[in-house]
Amino acid sequence: GPRSPQVSSAAPLVPWPALQDGGQYRCTATNALGTARLLATLAVVAYPPRIAGGTRLLTAHAGMPVAMRCPAEGRPPPSISWVLANETHVSSSSQGNQKVLVRLDGTLMIKDVTVYDRGLYTCTATNPAGTDTLTVKLQVIAAPPVILEEKRQQITATVGQDLSLPCTAEGNPQPRVHWVLSEGTVVKPLQFVNTRVLLLPSGTLRLSGVVPADSGNYECIATSSTGSERRVVTLTVHHQDTLPRIAAASQGMTQLSFGDKLLLNCTASGSPAPEISWSLPDGTVINNAMLADDSGRRTRRYVLFDNGTLYLNRAGVTEEGDYTCYAQNTLGRDEMKIHITVVTAAPQIKHSYKTYIKVKAGDTALLDCEAAGEPKPKIFWLLPSSDMISSSTDRHLLHANGSLSVRRAKLLDAGEYMCVARNAGGDDTKLFKLDVDAKPPIINGLYANKTIIKVTAVRHSKKQIDCRAEGTPPPHIINCSSECLTHVLPKSVNTSTEGPEEPFPLNSPTGTHVCHGGDRTALQQL
């Protein structure tokens, strides 16, 4: 049958109770038969927040992240908020920014702190039972240098190998880097120690062609006003024979101007160390730093230095061709060919000199011809007679600069002279015209080759015979009898080319007398 209402002993459910939820709760159950009641007392237990274990003073390096913990206890769990050094309020519920945020556990995170972040930071823990605070003082100091590579490293190398040991240091201010070699030598950036060791500005130490003696510890030290950092590299060099290899040489195609210095580089690696030798264009081989001997033609001109460089003081056309560098050791040989081209300048005769020359017969004519070019051109002359002059003769003087002097000029010397300048680059020519101012001798104004005058005279009498000679230069007059007994007229006889001769005794019988006037002859027939 019907039963009266009953109230179970189950307590009422109060979600997320707060302190104000404490007290008595009455449960009433009612139906047609009656009413039942139950009284329940709710006690809400709570205690105020307490921050324990927090750091009161925190020191951080500039550029590094910082975490400030705020471990708070309480019932109910307190909420955490922070007041920054710049009076900004942040909490786990606020959005924060890219630099500052509060984690769910209340830890304050600051990325890349700077000196402007130093100061007091206050953590506040709050729940309904109360509040607790923690003040943290943040000090920011400059960070010491940091070397990015591993602080200790083991490296194994073989003889002749080239090594690069990096040491990248960062910091503010920028740190200075130097290395201490295995034997204790301190190396600074770009400081010359020897040809095998170089420290680059980036901090990388370069070792060229390492040998077993290079084994040991190499220490990189980065220092600044904020501190120092070290990195140690332990190097072990093993001996291993290797084939020679030409590491560097001059350009495969090289142009030189005539007369330039010839400098050909050739460096090689290998173990044992290879010997460098050179083959010249004519097949001559140079090695062991000896001077080339080309059977006297190029004696002591080439020099091979210990580093493999071939040197020649002055390059000419004969130095054109292929030069081959050989690097050889007990294991084999490597070679590299270099082609040398010697650029020449073709002759060029100066054109400032006059090309028409006129002289009087008997004088000296100078024909100027000076040429420039590389190599220095050789000059020779072609005469009007088609003869070639390349050196001085009795009447032709060839000057050092190439000019030509024609001494005691005659009518036959008149004509065209060609100056030719020649070298390996080509030829140049220049044409000169020489005129000789001369008049051939004439006797008594007659232009015939022989002037025949018939005269009649009484035996043993005096007879005057005219022999007037004219010409440029003035002709020399000589008389001879029919027996060709030539004699020069005595001083008392007038030999002027103007006017008649003085009479001289006519002792010879009837016959022919010859009067010579230079190149022309007058025949006097008696």
Side-chain angles (χ1 to χ4, degrees):
R3 299 180 61 185
S4 59
Q6 294 182 353
V7 178
S8 69
S9 61
L13 178 62
V14 180
W16 306 105
L19 285 177
Q20 61 270 24
D21 293 326
Q24 285 189 338
Y25 290 80
R26 184 175 64 179
C27 176
T28 303
T30 304
N31 65 10
L33 299 179
T35 299
R37 292 179 176 86
L38 176 66
L39 292 178
T41 302
L42 174 63
V44 179
V45 179
Y47 54 87
R50 185 174 66 87
I51 301 174
T55 303
R56 306 292 176 173
L57 178 63
L58 184 61
T59 302
H61 289 118
M64 303 298 292
V66 171
M68 299 183 191
R69 295 179 64 250
C70 186
E73 298 177 352
R75 194 173 181 86
S79 61
I80 305 297
S81 64
W82 285 84
V83 178
L84 309 183
N86 59 4
E87 304 298 332
T88 302
H89 292 256
V90 294
S91 65
S92 58
S93 61
S94 61
Q95 293 183 351
N97 53 50
Q98 294 181 350
K99 183 178 178 65
V100 179
L101 62 87
V102 179
R103 292 180 176 173
L104 294 177
D105 64 355
T107 299
L108 177 66
M109 297 296 300
I110 304 177
K111 298 180 181 179
D112 303 328
V113 294
T114 67
V115 293
Y116 300 106
D117 295 321
R118 61 191 175 189
L120 299 178
Y121 290 75
T122 302
C123 171
T124 302
T126 305
N127 70 4
T131 300
D132 194 10
T133 61
L134 170 67
T135 299
V136 179
K137 184 176 182 180
L138 175 62
Q139 293 180 336
V140 180
I141 61 175
V146 175
I147 295 178
L148 302 184
E149 289 77 18
E150 54 186 312
K151 302 304 179 287
R152 288 197 170 272
Q153 185 179 11
Q154 301 279 341
I155 292 181
T156 301
T158 57
V159 172
Q161 187 176 348
D162 297 336
L163 298 177
S164 292
L165 308 181
C167 184
T168 308
E170 294 182 350
N172 187 13
Q174 180 65 35
R176 298 181 301 275
V177 173
H178 68 272
W179 282 80
V180 180
L181 306 185
S182 57
E183 79 278 9
T185 303
V186 177
V187 182
K188 296 180 179 179
L190 300 181
Q191 174 188 353
F192 177 80
V193 177
N194 57 58
T195 56
R196 297 175 50 245
V197 178
L198 177 64
L199 178 55
L200 302 179
S202 63
T204 296
L205 180 67
R206 285 189 176 175
L207 304 176
S208 300
V210 294
V211 296
D214 294 326
S215 298
N217 290 332
Y218 292 78
E219 186 176 13
C220 172
I221 303 173
T223 59
S224 72
S225 59
T226 62
S228 64
E229 179 77 301
R230 295 171 184 266
R231 155 174 158 81
V232 178
V233 177
T234 302
L235 173 63
T236 304
V237 180
H238 296 298
H239 180 79
Q240 180 181 352
D241 289 346
T242 57
L243 286 167
R245 181 177 64 86
I246 296 178
S250 299
Q251 293 182 354
M253 299 289 289
T254 301
Q255 271 195 353
L256 294 177
S257 295
F258 185 91
D260 282 356
K261 293 179 180 179
L262 175 65
L263 199 66
L264 300 180
N265 299 317
C266 184
T267 58
S269 60
S271 180
E275 179 185 350
I276 301 295
S277 62
W278 284 87
S279 173
L280 306 184
D282 62 357
T284 303
V285 176
I286 307 175
N287 53 28
N288 296 327
M290 62 177 284
L291 299 178
D293 185 356
D294 183 49
S295 302
R297 293 192 298 274
R298 288 187 284 183
T299 301
R300 302 182 64 84
R301 295 188 63 199
Y302 286 93
V303 178
L304 176 61
F305 294 103
D306 292 336
N307 63 356
T309 296
L310 183 66
Y311 172 79
L312 174 64
N313 184 51
R314 182 180 174 86
V317 177
T318 56
E319 278 67 52
E320 275 195 340
D322 292 330
Y323 292 74
T324 304
C325 171
Y326 298 100
Q328 185 169 358
N329 66 7
T330 56
L331 296 184
R333 185 173 79 170
D334 192 14
E335 64 182 64
M336 181 171 291
K337 184 177 293 185
I338 300 171
H339 184 77
I340 297 298
T341 302
V342 179
V343 179
T344 59
Q348 186 171 6
I349 298 175
K350 296 182 179 179
H351 294 285
S352 57
Y353 300 120
K354 58 183 180 179
T355 57
Y356 175 74
I357 298 95
K358 184 175 182 180
V359 296
K360 291 184 178 180
D363 289 349
T364 298
L366 176 62
L367 284 66
D368 289 312
C369 183
E370 188 174 354
E374 289 291 347
K376 184 178 179 180
K378 185 176 181 180
I379 293 180
F380 60 91
W381 288 82
L382 296 178
L383 307 184
S385 62
S386 297
D387 294 333
M388 185 187 74
I389 294 292
S390 59
S391 60
S392 297
T393 64
D394 178 46
R395 295 184 56 246
H396 297 91
L397 175 61
L398 189 60
H399 297 273
N401 68 348
S403 298
L404 180 67
S405 290
V406 181
R407 296 180 284 200
R408 303 188 301 277
K410 301 191 302 183
L411 275 176
L412 293 177
D413 295 323
E416 291 184 341
Y417 291 72
M418 178 178 289
C419 172
V420 181
R422 175 175 295 170
N423 70 3
D427 294 344
D428 192 16
T429 60
K430 186 176 181 181
L431 200 62
F432 293 81
K433 177 68 178 297
L434 174 63
D435 274 347
V436 179
D437 186 9
K439 293 180 180 179
I442 59 173
I443 298 176
N444 295 339
L446 301 175
Y447 288 90
N449 285 335
K450 288 186 178 181
T451 303
I452 300 176
I453 304 173
K454 293 183 179 181
V455 295
T456 302
V458 178
R459 183 183 296 271
H460 302 297
S461 65
K462 292 182 179 181
K463 182 65 177 181
Q464 177 175 300
I465 302 174
D466 289 334
C467 184
R468 296 193 317 276
E470 299 176 6
T472 304
H476 190 56
I477 299 176
I478 300 174
N479 284 272
C480 69
S481 66
S482 59
E483 292 84 5
C484 289
L485 299 176
T486 304
H487 67 278
V488 178
L489 295 181
K491 292 182 181 180
S492 61
V493 178
N494 180 14
T495 59
S496 170
T497 58
E498 298 177 1
E501 298 179 355
E502 290 293 329
F504 58 91
L506 188 61
N507 297 320
S508 59
T510 302
T512 302
H513 287 262
V514 179
C515 172
H516 294 281
D519 292 334
R520 187 173 293 275
T521 301
L523 185 64
Q524 325 287 356
Q525 187 173 3
L526 300 178

